[in-house]
Amino acid sequence: MQTILGSGGPIADELARELRRNFTSDIRLVSRHPTAVHPDDELVSADLTDAAATSRAVAGSDIAFLTVGLPMDSALWEAKFPTMMANTIDACAEHGVKLVFFDNTYMYPGTPEPQTESTPFVPNGRKGRVRAQIATMLLEAMESGRVEAVICRAPEFYGPGPTKSLSNSLVFNRIRDGKRPFVPISAATRRSLIWTPDASRAMALIGNTDDAFGQTWHLPIDRSRPSYSEMIGIAATVLDRRISYTALPNAVFRLGGRFVPALAEVGELLPRYHGDNIFDTEKFTTRFPDFAVTSAVDGIREIVGGPTVR
């Protein structure tokens, strides 16, 4: 049995599909209101802030994938993520279940220096501090031998369907809908974006590779790391039309944040858009050389390639 804690999003749903394709048909999906990806998925309703419910959700599993996400709300993250992590660690330790944690890069410094699995945690905001806290909780549990676990870390998403990220909402989805894209801060800096189905496929592979455990892995990206200007150029070629864009400076986010809470929550992430974002994936590509990474061209084509609204 392989269990997905936090089912229902694009990462978790594609993870379930990949597990079924290549690893197991015995899949349990856990969330407050789980929905089946396959007709015979086992569905378990559970609140991961409830220790007893988390224990019941994990019991009988061989591997548990922690993919739970929360809205971009710092107070909510502070209130819920540490409790969810503590309950998941306790449940996996209690039942002897391997744990695969899907992590992000919010705890890394927003600088142009390459980010590797050994990059120190230097968060510059509340959400980054929460992510550093829960990653450290798991690292300490791994080092003490309480739980056999692995951390799979991904940079900013882009992808099909309901993928949520600045790049999708401001750039690619607007291009797809025939609207002018808005680029956060700079169109010239190199971007490290991960195609969401690739993230799920790589996590399934790592979680089913015994010698991958006890470590942190950066999940694979297109290492050409195109800038937004180049990515918009790819979209223009795909759609065979000229696409103009507007770069949004810090001031727009600061002013908008006074009226739109979601914009205020983005503030701590903006430093990483001022310079190149170099998420290093050499460790993964060396260990798994046959893994096929989706190119930026193919990914952008899939998002924007259909007919536009106008």
Side-chain angles (χ1 to χ4, degrees), residues 58-284:
V58 166
S61 305
D62 299 301
I63 304 171
F65 293 85
L66 181 59
T67 65
V68 67
L70 291 172
M72 289 281 280
D73 180 322
S74 296
L76 187 66
W77 285 31
E78 291 163 347
K80 291 186 176 291
F81 268 138
T83 302
M84 290 178 175
M85 178 58 80
N87 288 344
T88 301
I89 291 171
D90 289 346
C92 289
E94 176 187 0
H95 296 289
V97 176
K98 291 182 176 181
L99 175 58
V100 182
F101 175 43
F102 183 64
D103 200 8
N104 67 26
T105 63
Y106 285 18
M107 74 293 289
Y108 286 161
T111 63
E113 283 73 27
Q115 300 167 345
T116 70
E117 287 85 353
S118 60
T119 292
F121 297 168
V122 188
N124 59 3
R126 293 169 68 185
K127 290 182 289 298
R129 287 191 287 273
V130 172
R131 299 303 300 200
Q133 177 186 359
I134 63 175
T136 299
M137 289 171 64
L138 182 54
L139 287 169
E140 290 175 349
M142 292 160 62
E143 290 166 4
S144 70
R146 281 196 67 213
V147 65
E148 187 174 4
V150 61
I151 296 175
C152 298
R153 188 163 290 142
E156 183 182 349
F157 298 163
Y158 82 115
T163 298
K164 295 180 180 179
S165 68
L166 279 184
S167 293
N168 256 56
S169 61
L170 294 182
V171 181
F172 302 121
N173 291 351
R174 291 183 64 85
I175 293 172
R176 179 199 62 203
D177 295 338
K179 300 176 181 178
R180 185 184 186 92
F182 297 134
V183 170
I185 310 300
S186 172
T189 58
R190 316 305 299 179
R191 310 315 310 157
S192 293
L193 302 181
I194 192 164
W195 181 246
T196 49
D198 285 359
S200 300
R201 291 192 300 113
M203 181 166 47
L205 176 59
I206 288 172
N208 284 276
T209 301
D210 288 342
D211 65 12
F213 280 76
Q215 307 173 57
T216 297
W217 295 85
H218 279 187
L219 299 181
I221 63 168
D222 179 344
R223 293 193 288 177
S224 68
R225 301 181 182 87
S227 66
Y228 280 124
S229 176
E230 291 170 333
M231 288 187 277
I232 292 169
I234 291 169
T237 299
V238 168
L239 297 173
D240 193 25
R241 64 177 174 87
R242 183 174 181 273
I243 301 175
S244 299
Y245 61 85
T246 298
L248 303 180
N250 276 327
V252 169
F253 291 94
R254 285 199 304 270
L255 291 172
R258 298 178 183 178
F259 309 100
V260 182
L263 288 179
E265 291 286 351
V266 167
E268 72 179 81
L269 305 179
L270 295 180
R272 67 188 62 199
Y273 294 94
H274 285 273
D276 293 343
N277 178 236
I278 309 298
F279 181 79
D280 185 281
T281 62
E282 183 66 27
K283 177 178 175 179
F284 181 93

